[in-house]
């Protein structure tokens, strides 16, 4: 096992553990936004798509990398925007003044 | 600045980006900081992408290929196309249709990860080192399964594909055969063989596997499936990171892989099902299974006017919104009724079961969209003791999550956490029929002497109630 692979593996395992720790604390209310937020994070695959695009010299690679870049950007942009829309709704809202005491029993 | 320095700075920028993802997820712990967390995560993404662009521009080109103008054109065009489509769809989608859009974004993410490995494989002239080979094949398999599976899941939620479980004749055998083909092909490649046809066979088998895996699963289970596929995509992206030797892909992919796995388990737990059970399909008929009226006691039908009087003269009302409310898009109607009651001095709260709606937390999003004040939304553990004080519990399109049978062993819903709706002094259920819920069993709540059934579509029923309360 090469040192590079070993360090990549270390990073991989630690990141998984961090993911478990971070997520298990989120209340159910936020699970859908969270899922959507996590969904946008794997849009990081755009970075990888850019790598293959600049190295694309034949038609097959160029087509594949164009689709990859477009797909990944769709994932990133759509993911973050839709998550933000969901979370926007949780904000503030002038809480309607509650009646002090219920009228009757 | 020489390339060495730039390279170090870029790596540091990737580290900043990865940290922003972690911190962003942490801030999504509470509603107060969640939005900020998502923006932090987005900022990390921008940093990582800009750093990548700088790295690629500054990198000395190998083999005298020079500046790859076509490559950069591809990046720009791809970003404009994907970004435009993403921005448009995310801003215009209705909140009720949001789960299928998330599934679609998940599909393309998995597709991009698979394409990276496919492209990498096309460029090979000799079998790569075993570890790269393993990562490449895993990336292709997981990414393709996610791609086709998420598209099917999205289609089911959108109604393009029947939501009910679709059983393929000999489906189990087909799925097993596809899995076998994939495994044999993978082992063949891992043994050090370089074969494009074998890779294409694996690709095809994985794509079909994704379809046959999701088709037999009922629409009501789609959230769990989407969450699982989200986790898969994360793993595929991490594998792409191994293929390219890129840490930021590995970190972000592993983070999502872990988060999706936890979330999937939480969602399955809340329904008292195992993930395996769901993936094997064939349980229940999925959403909207309408069977004959339930036996064992009779239900009492009640009219909107009677319910309106009960509600208007109550002090504490707890509304229990469920899947039926989401389907009927009755979130605005329920808010209207609640506001009307509040004006009359009635204390109104919403009891949100963890799996109400189509995903955990989906109901909160729908109600928040309808401007229901956040403090009125109560989670199960918080609201359950309050049912004892409630004068009326108004159940709108929720079924299994209110079934007292869950407290006893021996029923399909046994052990599932439920809302203690039957503890309320009086119970009103708005429902279209006596049809069974997802679990396919009768709900004992409906035959409880305290319960009145208002047979109507959630939206129509709530509108009728609002009109009746106004008329009082």
């Amino acid at each position: 096992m090469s040192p590079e692979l070993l360090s990549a593996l270390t990073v991989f395992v630690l990141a998984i553990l961090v993911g478990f720790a971070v997520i298990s604390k989120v209340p159910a209310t936020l699970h859908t936004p969270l899922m959507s937020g996590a969904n946008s994070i794997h849009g990081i695959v755009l970075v990888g798509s850019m790598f293959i695009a600049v190295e694309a010299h034949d038609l097959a690679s160029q087509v594949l990398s164009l689709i990859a870049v477009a797909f990944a950007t769709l994932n990133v942009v759509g993911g973050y925007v839709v998550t933000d829309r969901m979370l926007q709704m949780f904000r503030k809202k002038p809480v309607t003044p509650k009646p002090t005491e219920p009228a009757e029993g | 600045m020489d390339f060495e320095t730039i390279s170090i700075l870029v790596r540091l920028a990737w580290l900043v980006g990865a940290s922003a993802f972690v911190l962003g997820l942490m801030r999504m712990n509470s509603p107060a900081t969640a939005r900020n967390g998502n923006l932090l995560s987005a900022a990390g993404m921008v940093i990582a992408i800009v750093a990548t662009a700088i790295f690629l521009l500054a990198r000395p080109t190998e083999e005298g290929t020079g500046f790859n103008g076509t490559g950069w054109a591809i990046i720009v065009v791809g970003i404009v196309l994907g970004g435009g489509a993403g921005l448009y769809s995310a801003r215009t989608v209705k909140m009720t249709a949001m789960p299928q859009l998330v599934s679609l974004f998940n599909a393309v993410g998995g597709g991009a990860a698979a394409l990276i490995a496919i492209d990498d494989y096309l460029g090979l002239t000799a079998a790569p080192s075993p570890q790269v080979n393993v990562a490449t094949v895993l990336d292709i398999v997981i990414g393709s399964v996610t791609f086709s599976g998420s598209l099917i899941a999205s289609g089911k939620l959108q109604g393009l594909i029947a939501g009910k479980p679709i059983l393929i004749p000999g489906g189990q055998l087909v799925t097993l055969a596809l899995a076998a083909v994939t495994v044999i092909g993978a082992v063949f490649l891992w043994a050090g063989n370089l074969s494009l046809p074998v890779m294409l066979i694996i690709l095809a088998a994985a794509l079909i596997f994704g379809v046959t895996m999701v088709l037999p699963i009922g629409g009501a289970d789609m959230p769990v499936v989407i969450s699982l596929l989200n986790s898969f995509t994360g793993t595929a992206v991490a594998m792409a990171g191994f293929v390219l030797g890129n840490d930021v892909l590995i970190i972000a992919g592993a983070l999502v892989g872990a988060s999706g796995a936890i979330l999937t388990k939480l969602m399955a737990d809340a329904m008292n099902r195992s993930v395996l059970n769901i993936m094997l399909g064939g349980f229940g008929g999925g959403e909207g299974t309408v069977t004959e009226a339930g036996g064992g006691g009779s239900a009492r039908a009640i009219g909107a006017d009677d319910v309106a009087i009960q509600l208007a003269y109550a002090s504490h009302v707890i509304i229990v919104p469920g899947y039926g409310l989401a389907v009927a898009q009755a979130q605005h109607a329920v808010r209207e009724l609640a506001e009307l009651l509040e004006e009359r001095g009635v204390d109104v709260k919403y009891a949100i079961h963890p799996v109400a709606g189509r995903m955990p937390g989906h109901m909160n999003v729908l109600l928040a969209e309808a401007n229901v004040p956040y403090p009125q939304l109560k989670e199960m553990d918080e609201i359950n003791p309050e049912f004892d004080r409630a004068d009326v519990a108004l159940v709108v399109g929720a079924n299994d999550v209110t079934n007292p049978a869950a407290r006893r062993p021996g029923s399909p819903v046994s052990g599932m956490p439920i809302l203690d709706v039957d503890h309320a002094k009086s119970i009103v259920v708005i429902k279209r029929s006596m049809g069974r819920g997802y679990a396919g069993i009768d709900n004992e709540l409906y035959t409880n002497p305290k319960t009145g059934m208002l047979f109507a579509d959630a939206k129509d029923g709530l509108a009728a109630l609002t009109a009746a309360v106004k008329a009082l």
Side-chain angles (χ1 to χ4, degrees):
Chain A
M1 199 181 263
S2 67
E4 292 79 25
L5 177 67
L6 199 60
S7 82
L9 203 58
T10 309
V11 165
F12 179 64
V13 172
L14 290 178
I16 286 179
L17 296 177
V18 169
F20 284 151
V22 168
I23 300 319
S24 48
K25 282 187 280 181
V26 178
T29 311
L30 285 170
H31 277 163
T32 294
L34 169 77
M35 165 141 129
S36 184
N39 179 60
S40 11
I41 291 176
H42 62 53
I44 191 71
V45 71
L46 176 56
V47 167
S49 308
M50 290 165 73
F51 266 88
I52 64 167
V54 292
E55 284 163 14
H57 292 289
D58 56 282
L59 186 64
S61 283
Q62 285 164 349
V63 172
L64 290 182
S65 56
L66 175 63
I67 301 174
V69 171
F71 272 10
T73 315
L74 177 58
N75 189 173
V76 170
V77 176
Y80 280 114
V81 173
V82 87
T83 310
D84 191 57
R85 263 188 70 192
M86 286 179 216
L87 292 172
Q88 220 173 344
M89 295 167 183
F90 284 108
R91 250 185 349 175
K92 49 78 208 174
K93 241 138 247 169
V95 178
T96 42
K98 279 204 166 180
T100 43
E101 270 307 305
E104 48 199 293
Chain B
M1 219 186 307
D2 62 347
F3 180 65
E4 279 300 303
T5 321
I6 293 177
S7 174
I8 289 169
L9 289 176
V10 165
R11 273 159 201 281
L12 287 174
W14 282 341
L15 182 61
V16 170
S19 310
F21 297 152
V22 175
L23 293 173
L25 282 179
M26 284 171 86
R27 293 188 74 81
M28 289 179 94
N29 273 313
S30 104
T33 56
R35 190 168 184 221
N36 178 295
N38 186 52
L39 293 177
L40 182 63
S41 170
M45 184 64 72
V46 171
I47 291 171
I49 290 164
V50 171
T52 306
I54 293 171
F55 178 85
L56 292 173
L57 280 172
R59 190 171 59 168
T61 46
E62 297 148 33
E63 301 143 19
T65 45
F67 175 81
N68 185 350
T70 320
W72 282 97
I74 286 172
I75 292 179
V76 171
V77 172
I79 287 180
V80 169
L81 288 179
L87 203 58
Y88 177 78
S89 54
R91 294 183 85 149
T92 53
V93 69
K94 285 207 178 104
M95 272 297 132
T96 40
M98 173 266 301
Q100 47 267 47
L101 188 67
V102 172
S103 185
L104 188 68
F105 292 153
N106 186 44
V108 293
L115 287 170
I116 288 176
I118 294 167
D119 178 72
D120 189 73
Y121 206 87
L122 289 179
L124 292 176
T125 48
S129 61
Q131 57 261 33
V132 172
N133 208 339
V134 167
T136 307
V137 175
L138 284 179
D139 188 356
I140 293 176
V141 171
I142 303 172
S144 310
V145 168
T146 309
F147 180 69
S148 58
S150 299
L151 286 181
I152 297 290
S154 184
K156 281 204 173 211
L157 289 180
Q158 186 66 38
L160 297 175
I161 300 167
K164 67 179 196 305
I166 297 172
L167 293 175
I168 306 155
Q172 303 281 44
L173 283 178
V174 173
T175 309
L176 273 179
L178 288 168
V181 167
T182 309
V183 171
I184 294 170
V187 170
F188 176 76
L189 293 182
W190 289 338
N193 298 293
L194 184 71
S195 163
L196 187 59
V198 172
M199 189 278 277
L200 291 176
I201 290 172
I202 293 179
L203 173 66
L207 284 172
I208 303 171
F209 182 84
V211 175
T212 59
M213 180 178 84
V214 178
L215 270 185
I217 303 173
D221 273 334
M222 275 313 119
V224 181
V225 175
I226 293 174
S227 175
L228 185 70
L229 292 170
N230 186 39
S231 170
F232 280 9
T233 306
T235 315
V237 170
M239 290 304 132
F242 278 101
V243 173
L244 297 171
N246 186 309
D247 278 354
V248 75
L249 291 194
I250 296 177
I251 296 175
L255 252 185
V256 178
S259 81
I262 290 278
L263 187 54
T264 309
K265 192 174 176 317
L266 288 178
M267 290 163 82
D269 283 352
M271 291 196 279
N272 194 32
R273 316 253 330 253
S274 74
V275 177
L276 191 67
N277 190 325
I278 289 170
M279 296 316 291
L280 292 177
F283 168 78
E287 73 206 43
T289 316
V290 178
T291 48
E292 81 291 351
S298 60
R300 178 168 58 94
I302 191 171
D305 292 336
D306 293 333
V307 179
I309 291 169
Q310 279 192 40
L311 291 172
Y313 294 99
S315 355
H316 300 284
V317 170
I318 299 180
I319 299 175
V320 182
Y323 185 75
L325 179 135
V327 171
Q329 308 214 359
Q331 63 269 34
H332 292 278
V334 78
R335 193 253 309 151
E336 230 178 284
L337 176 64
E339 276 182 356
L340 194 61
L341 293 175
E342 292 234 296
E343 277 167 27
R344 297 181 66 103
V346 182
D347 170 52
V348 180
K349 293 197 178 77
Y350 296 81
I352 313 290
H353 190 272
V355 293
R358 284 189 142 160
M359 290 192 189
H362 188 202
M363 190 55 70
N364 302 63
V365 173
L366 291 179
L367 293 176
E369 183 201 25
N371 286 322
V372 172
Y374 185 76
Q376 286 184 3
L377 306 182
K378 301 291 179 193
E379 290 196 28
M380 184 173 64
D381 295 336
E382 200 183 340
I383 195 82
N384 264 347
E386 296 198 29
F387 277 108
D388 292 315
R389 306 196 294 122
D391 299 302
V392 184
L394 181 63
V395 179
V396 188
N399 192 344
D400 293 332
V401 298
T402 62
N403 194 342
R407 299 200 191 103
R408 292 192 317 266
S411 141
V413 292
S414 291
M416 182 171 88
I418 57 163
L419 292 163
D420 296 331
V421 175
D422 55 332
H423 289 194
K425 292 194 191 77
S426 168
I427 302 146
V428 175
V429 178
I430 302 183
K431 205 171 177 305
R432 280 179 305 173
S433 68
M434 284 297 284
R436 292 167 181 173
Y438 180 73
I441 57 166
D442 293 321
N443 191 340
E444 292 172 12
L445 184 71
Y446 302 163
T447 48
N448 186 316
K450 289 192 289 187
T451 305
M453 302 292 295
L454 178 61
F455 291 110
D457 166 79
K459 205 171 189 172
D460 301 342
L462 288 165
L465 284 182
T466 306
V469 171
K470 272 188 188 152
L472 283 176

